[in-house]
Amino acid sequence: FSSVQNSVNKTKFTESDMWDCPVPTCTRIMDIVLVVDESGSIGTSPTNCTGRRPRVCHNPSEWSQFITFCKSIAGSYQLGSRNSTIGAVFFSERARSISALTGSYSDFVSRINTSPVGSSTCLGCGIRLGRTLFDTPVAGREDLNPSRVVIVMTDGNPNVWTWGYLGEAQYLRDVYGALIIGIGIGTD
């Protein structure tokens, strides 16, 4: 814990190099889909803009942190054909499938190591394409009945098909029984 402060007794905890604790791993069987915003408003920096319209200004350092976070999510689960699987969809003005559901951490990581390509934000497009990953089950898992989880990461500023994400999220929950987790990025 780096600089965590307890508000009751003002005790500070610091990270210790002497701790030898294993990284916690979730063993629950799940199909996890990451729906990741790669629009121009994610990690913007006025020094890294393309000339196309609308103007795209990705900050490579912030995008790298974003990908690292996705990798850490994948690393938090016991992945495998008889365990959890993970897949990813990136979205901007359109959605693109980055990784089908896979039980291989290395396969997942190699597929998400990509540069962002978007400008606008179509959150509904991302959720819609994300749910299709559940339609192609991983072989050998038919008897497992895994929980379905969708983790949506966005700055929360949809500007394409702005109402679409509500219906897509409702459909995902009602028809697929998925738990949807939203992670807000930025300060807006």
Side-chain angles (χ1 to χ4, degrees):
F1 308 103
S2 61
S3 281
V4 174
Q5 188 170 343
N6 182 322
S7 62
V8 175
N9 63 12
K10 305 293 186 206
T11 304
K12 289 188 178 182
F13 299 95
T14 56
E15 190 172 14
S16 171
D17 292 331
M18 297 184 316
W19 293 355
D20 190 19
C21 300
V23 175
T25 303
C26 181
T27 58
R28 184 170 179 183
I29 299 174
M30 292 186 266
D31 287 339
I32 305 156
V33 174
L34 303 181
V35 178
V36 181
D37 187 342
E38 66 174 346
S39 67
S41 59
I42 295 293
T44 57
S45 168
T47 59
N48 283 323
C49 298
T50 66
R52 67 182 187 182
R53 298 276 182 232
R55 201 167 145 183
V56 179
C57 308
H58 291 289
N59 181 327
S61 174
E62 289 183 17
W63 181 252
S64 176
Q65 290 175 4
F66 209 56
I67 296 300
T68 299
F69 181 70
C70 292
K71 292 175 188 177
S72 72
I73 290 172
S76 298
Y77 293 89
Q78 186 175 22
L79 299 178
S81 61
R82 300 290 297 168
N83 295 305
S84 289
T85 61
I86 191 163
V89 167
F90 289 178
F91 68 93
S92 56
E93 63 273 1
R94 292 182 191 92
R96 61 186 180 126
S97 181
I98 300 299
S99 173
L101 289 173
T102 179
S104 167
Y105 177 82
S106 60
D107 182 49
F108 176 76
V109 167
S110 70
R111 291 177 186 273
I112 66 166
N113 277 326
T114 183
S115 296
V117 298
S119 56
S120 300
T121 306
C122 183
L123 179 56
C125 300
I127 294 172
R128 175 178 277 178
L129 184 59
R131 75 173 150 88
T132 66
L133 298 186
F134 294 131
D135 294 335
T136 309
V138 176
R141 295 172 51 88
E142 295 80 9
D143 62 322
L144 296 180
N145 193 24
S147 298
R148 292 176 169 169
V149 177
V150 176
I151 301 173
V152 180
M153 293 175 268
T154 183
D155 63 3
N157 294 319
N159 55 17
V160 174
W161 195 35
T162 56
W163 51 267
Y165 72 94
L166 295 172
E168 289 300 324
Q170 182 79 34
Y171 187 83
L172 188 56
R173 189 189 73 193
D174 293 349
V175 175
Y176 288 79
L179 170 66
I180 305 166
I181 300 168
I183 299 175
I185 300 162
T187 58
D188 293 341

